Amino acid sequence: MGTASLGVSLPKEWLEHYGLKHGDEVEVEILPDYTLLIKPSLSRSAISDNCRVLRYDDNAPNESIMKLISLYLNGIDPIRVVCGNYCSSFKEKVYRVIEKNVVGLEVVDEGRGYITLACLADASSLPLSKVLRKMGTLIPVLLRDLRSAMETGEFLDMEERDSLLDRLYLYALRQLNMVMSGRLLLEKTGLRSMSEAIPIANLLKTLERIGDHIVQLHDWFTGARREGRALNNVITALDEIIPVAEMILNGYLVALKNPDKMLSIERTVSELKTVEERVRALDLDAVPLVNITRIIAYLMDIVEMVTDIIVGREQEGVACGEGPIEEPANSQRSHSSLRYSP
């Protein structure tokens, strides 16, 4: 340590884990609370060439699918699949399924008895913050398509459309895992701090679950149409939920980037309660009733999660001031709770 600089001692176990030695570069990130996050340089071959081997068993293709997705979610690149004489079978049984369910995983090399896969998607071109907005934009489109199909009777491949939500969800989780393991800089995802990782993961899962409920509604509709059952009340219920879904998914997810555009929480909670009351007043079968009310509950969860994230950001570095606390002008009114359960 010289007079013009300061040194930081790094734990020996950490250095050995990443294969670092004297003179190697590390990356230092200043977090919003001014703590320092030290990571191995992303340009190091030890980090970028993070290869793993997966041995393919042709009698257990589902196991290979799950393990490949797990490696993908953990940000492993590249993945070498040792498939022996079954490489063609691997492509047909596993890879064709995987490529429909994840973003960017491609075959980059093939040899005798092996196939190498790597994720070619660049986080900087599709950061996690943009993935959230894309998922939020897609859900009202799925709801409108479902409503149109019910009215016109047209065929709709809803599972194929929902698969895009699933792909975006898994890609976003991959980015979160890479940030947590130090292989992706936080700033490239659009997040503000590591403390947002868990609430963002919950938010992503909530959006993905809404897509699942839309698929279940479509499956019910397919059977109901075949049986010649009336759909008018379900269409009416969708007419109730679509505008409020668009309002929340557009308004609140945009607020993550621009808090000034945050919608009124009181108005949002009131509208959700009103929509649920109207839906429950309709004579709906159990399946559409359960799925539509669950979507409403998930929309409320989104309001809560986005509020938690924004409030957490506002409190960074803010301490309680001194002096008297002023009572709000309307302090005598009763306050409704944001934590709303249908």
Side-chain angles (χ1 to χ4, degrees):
M1 186 189 319
T3 57
S5 63
L6 295 175
V8 178
S9 296
L10 299 174
K12 183 179 179 181
E13 290 184 2
W14 185 84
L15 294 171
E16 291 177 346
H17 175 76
Y18 288 108
L20 295 169
K21 60 184 183 299
H22 180 74
D24 287 340
E25 292 184 359
V26 295
E27 295 181 352
V28 180
E29 183 178 353
I30 303 175
L31 300 181
D33 60 358
Y34 289 96
T35 57
L36 298 180
L37 179 64
I38 302 175
K39 309 175 186 178
S41 174
L42 296 179
S43 62
R44 284 181 48 81
S45 61
I47 302 302
S48 59
D49 189 19
N50 191 30
C51 185
R52 292 293 185 275
V53 173
L54 174 67
R55 300 192 180 279
Y56 173 64
D57 181 355
D58 196 48
N59 294 317
N62 290 321
E63 179 180 337
S64 295
I65 290 173
M66 290 184 182
K67 287 183 176 179
L68 264 178
I69 290 179
S70 295
L71 291 170
Y72 172 85
L73 288 177
N74 281 280
I76 303 301
D77 270 329
I79 303 168
R80 174 161 292 188
V81 180
V82 178
C83 41
N85 296 325
Y86 297 98
C87 289
S88 296
S89 179
F90 166 79
K91 283 185 175 181
E92 186 64 31
K93 293 181 180 179
V94 178
Y95 181 66
R96 298 302 173 220
V97 175
I98 291 289
E99 68 175 348
K100 293 179 180 179
N101 290 279
V102 299
V103 173
L105 193 63
E106 304 286 348
V107 174
V108 295
D109 185 29
E110 291 188 58
R112 186 172 181 179
Y114 74 88
I115 295 174
T116 303
L117 306 174
C119 182
L120 303 183
D122 183 10
S124 61
S125 62
L126 187 59
L128 195 152
S129 56
K130 186 178 291 187
V131 172
L132 273 172
R133 292 196 296 274
K134 282 184 175 293
M135 292 178 73
T137 301
L138 184 58
I139 287 172
V141 172
L142 296 180
L143 286 169
R144 288 193 179 279
D145 287 347
L146 176 60
R147 191 238 184 256
S148 176
M150 286 187 177
E151 190 171 52
T152 64
E154 67 178 305
F155 172 77
L156 193 63
D157 191 348
M158 185 59 73
E159 288 193 4
E160 178 68 24
R161 298 181 184 212
D162 176 62
S163 69
L164 178 54
L165 267 181
D166 295 335
R167 294 172 70 200
L168 290 170
Y169 168 66
L170 294 177
Y171 181 65
L173 287 187
R174 173 184 167 89
Q175 288 193 33
L176 281 177
N177 282 326
M178 291 180 71
V179 168
M180 299 294 285
S181 62
R183 281 174 283 150
L184 180 65
L185 292 176
L186 184 69
E187 62 191 30
K188 291 186 178 294
T189 66
L191 301 184
R192 302 285 184 85
S193 70
M194 297 288 284
S195 63
E196 294 180 4
I198 292 178
I200 288 293
N202 290 335
L203 185 55
L204 288 164
K205 185 60 180 178
T206 300
L207 293 168
E208 189 265 344
R209 287 295 295 136
I210 291 177
D212 291 343
H213 283 288
I214 296 173
V215 171
Q216 291 177 36
L217 279 170
H218 179 263
D219 291 344
W220 173 87
F221 154 63
T222 301
R225 178 178 58 181
R226 188 166 50 245
E227 297 168 5
R229 297 158 70 180
L231 302 171
N232 291 342
N233 284 347
V234 181
I235 293 174
T236 300
L238 290 174
D239 286 338
E240 292 284 353
I241 195 175
I242 289 172
V244 72
E246 286 182 325
M247 175 191 72
I248 291 172
L249 294 171
N250 292 332
Y252 282 86
L253 295 182
V254 167
L256 286 174
K257 184 176 182 180
N258 189 350
D260 292 338
K261 294 187 177 181
M262 182 81 164
L263 302 176
S264 165
I265 295 174
E266 291 297 324
R267 178 186 170 191
T268 304
V269 172
S270 176
E271 289 195 25
L272 279 172
K273 288 182 177 179
T274 299
V275 167
E276 188 189 7
E277 289 171 358
R278 290 174 178 169
V279 167
R280 289 187 180 278
L282 298 169
D283 185 20
L284 297 177
D285 285 356
V287 172
L289 177 62
V290 168
N291 282 284
I292 291 175
T293 53
R294 285 309 304 156
I295 291 173
I296 294 171
Y298 281 131
L299 290 172
M300 188 65 238
D301 290 343
I302 290 170
V303 174
E304 295 178 7
M305 284 183 260
V306 171
T307 301
D308 291 343
I309 293 169
I310 291 176
V311 170
R313 289 175 178 175
E314 291 174 347
Q315 299 310 307
E316 291 173 354
V318 177
C320 294
E322 298 180 355
I325 299 176
E326 296 181 3
E327 289 290 336
N330 55 352
S331 60
Q332 299 303 314
R333 70 178 183 182
S334 61
H335 296 274
S336 61
S337 173
L338 175 60
R339 303 293 173 182
Y340 161 61
S341 298

